């Protein structure tokens, strides 16, 4: 596999915090001591993060501060042991039956708290860094669910199902009246054949996809994501785009969403959203996979994305290519993914040998 000619993201390690050219009135030691949530929100505004990420981080930090308060502690008197106890408490935001923090959530909390206390010290109030102490003690380590990847036989079955169902639709002369079947085939093709996330599916528009080049472009400022379309995904996507065009009089605006929703809701009413809701994406994907014999937690969009990564790795993709094709943040993520996929695939091979 040739190396891509476009720019590659590189890891950046920052050891010291540069002074802000726009100091905030809330970003002072006293504010962090008396109103930590407001101080954190002010500091967070100056970080180069997506708005959605800032929202999540603020909610996480607010929950931690609330827990500290209920435990009779303040931010400036927090210790590494407090962070460990907090991470062992169930997350009340996981539904009616609160679940323990996942490994990823635990790591996010430790990283954020380490940065917070580092920033407070930078402001001139060094109260120690329990976040760093917690990181050293690995209190953020936790067990996430294992990486789910389709076996070779399973992914071959999914690819065969895509081809056979598309052939059946074409043979039957189906078209606009069976548009959702075409859409769902293209949906699975994009997940397995381009490794897209559900969030990518939501914002994918016509001008993002180039079937001739075999690429889906989702790059942004300081962010490269150019998914390589695998050959088996081209026909389902091309068929769906043809049906989509016919549904809209043969011409579609460049920014029209590719995976549009069924807007009919009840008699004479229409749904407001034009794009598939995440729950609909999950539901449609799960149904397709279950019909192909893949059930349980493995019947998910994330499993298809992981399987796309395994296909790239088998084809000889470099870490830089994995970063670009999957839209990863850094090459270390590619190395971790490569290791996880290798472990899953080797375990699958061992099971096959045992069965034989």
């Amino acid at each position: 596999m040739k190396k891509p000619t476009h720019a590659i993201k590189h890891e950046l390690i920052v050891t010291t915090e540069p002074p802000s050219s726009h100091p905030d009135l809330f970003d002072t030691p006293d504010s962090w001591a008396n109103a930590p949530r407001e101080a954190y929100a002010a500091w967070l505004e100056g970080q180069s993060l997506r708005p959605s990420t800032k929202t999540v981080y603020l909610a996480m930090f607010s929950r931690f501060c609330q827990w500290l308060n209920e435990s009779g502690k303040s931010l400036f008197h927090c210790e590494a042991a407090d962070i460990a106890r907090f991470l062992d408490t169930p997350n009340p935001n996981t539904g009616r039956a609160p679940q323990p923090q996942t490994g990823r959530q635990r790591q996010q909390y430790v990283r954020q708290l380490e940065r917070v206390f580092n920033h407070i010290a930078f402001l001139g109030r060094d109260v120690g860094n329990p976040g760093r102490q917690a990181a050293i003690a690995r209190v953020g380590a936790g067990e996430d669910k294992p990486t789910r990847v389709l076996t070779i036989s399973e992914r071959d079955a999914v690819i065969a199902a895509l081809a056979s169902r598309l052939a059946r639709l074409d043979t039957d002369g189906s078209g606009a009246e069976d548009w959702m079947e075409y859409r769902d085939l293209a949906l699975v093709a994009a997940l397995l054949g381009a490794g897209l996330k559900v969030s990518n599916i939501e914002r994918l528009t016509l001008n993002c996809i180039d079937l001739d080049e075999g690429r889906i472009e989702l790059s942004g400022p300081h962010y490269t994501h150019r998914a390589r379309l695998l050959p088996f995904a081209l026909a389902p996507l091309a068929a769906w785009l043809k049906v989509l065009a016919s549904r809209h009089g043969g011409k579609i605006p460049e920014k029209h969403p590719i995976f549009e929703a069924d807007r009919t809701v009840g008699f004479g009413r229409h749904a407001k959203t034009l794009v598939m809701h995440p729950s609909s994406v999950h539901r449609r994907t799960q149904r397709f996979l279950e019909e192909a014999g893949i059930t349980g937690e493995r019947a998910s969009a994330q499993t298809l994305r992981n399987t796309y990564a395994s296909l790239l790795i088998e084809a000889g993709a470099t870490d830089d290519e994995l970063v670009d094709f999957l839209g990863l943040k850094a090459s270390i993520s590619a190395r971790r993914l490569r290791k996880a996929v290798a472990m899953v695939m080797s375990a699958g091979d061992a099971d096959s040998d045992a069965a034989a």
Side-chain angles (χ1 to χ4, degrees), residues 201-221:
I201 294 293
E202 290 182 86
R203 61 189 182 91
L204 191 65
T205 53
L206 194 63
N207 58 349
C208 293
I209 188 167
D210 188 332
L211 293 180
D212 292 333
E213 292 289 332
R215 186 179 70 230
I216 291 179
E217 176 67 70
L218 289 165
S219 300

Side-chain angles (χ1 to χ4, degrees), residues 171-186:
T171 301
D172 293 344
S174 302
E177 67 276 7
D178 293 311
W179 67 272
M180 279 193 290
E181 290 194 50
Y182 279 99
R183 182 202 63 186
D184 292 350
L185 290 180

Side-chain angles (χ1 to χ4, degrees), residues 19-88:
S20 173
S21 58
H22 302 285
D24 193 285
L25 293 176
F26 285 100
D27 192 17
T28 65
D30 287 344
S31 294
W32 281 98
N34 301 317
R37 185 188 182 282
E38 289 74 12
Y40 181 80
W43 171 72
L44 201 59
E45 278 304 307
Q47 307 302 307
S48 298
L49 299 169
R50 297 178 184 177
S52 58
T53 302
K54 292 180 180 179
T55 300
V56 171
Y57 281 177
L58 180 58
M60 291 172 65
F61 186 75
S62 298
R63 179 172 169 255
F64 176 69
C65 289
Q66 180 181 352
W67 181 88
L68 277 179
N69 184 58
E70 292 172 351
S71 302
K73 288 260 188 170
S74 68
L75 187 65
F76 280 16
H77 293 89
C78 172
E79 300 175 357
D82 296 320
I83 297 176
R85 283 194 294 273
F86 167 74
L87 293 177
D88 288 338

Side-chain angles (χ1 to χ4, degrees), residues 253-271:
E254 285 190 350
K255 293 187 178 181
H256 186 87
I258 289 179
F259 293 103
E260 63 181 25
D262 177 10
R263 304 189 75 194
T264 58
V265 181
F267 179 76
R269 294 183 289 117
H270 296 274

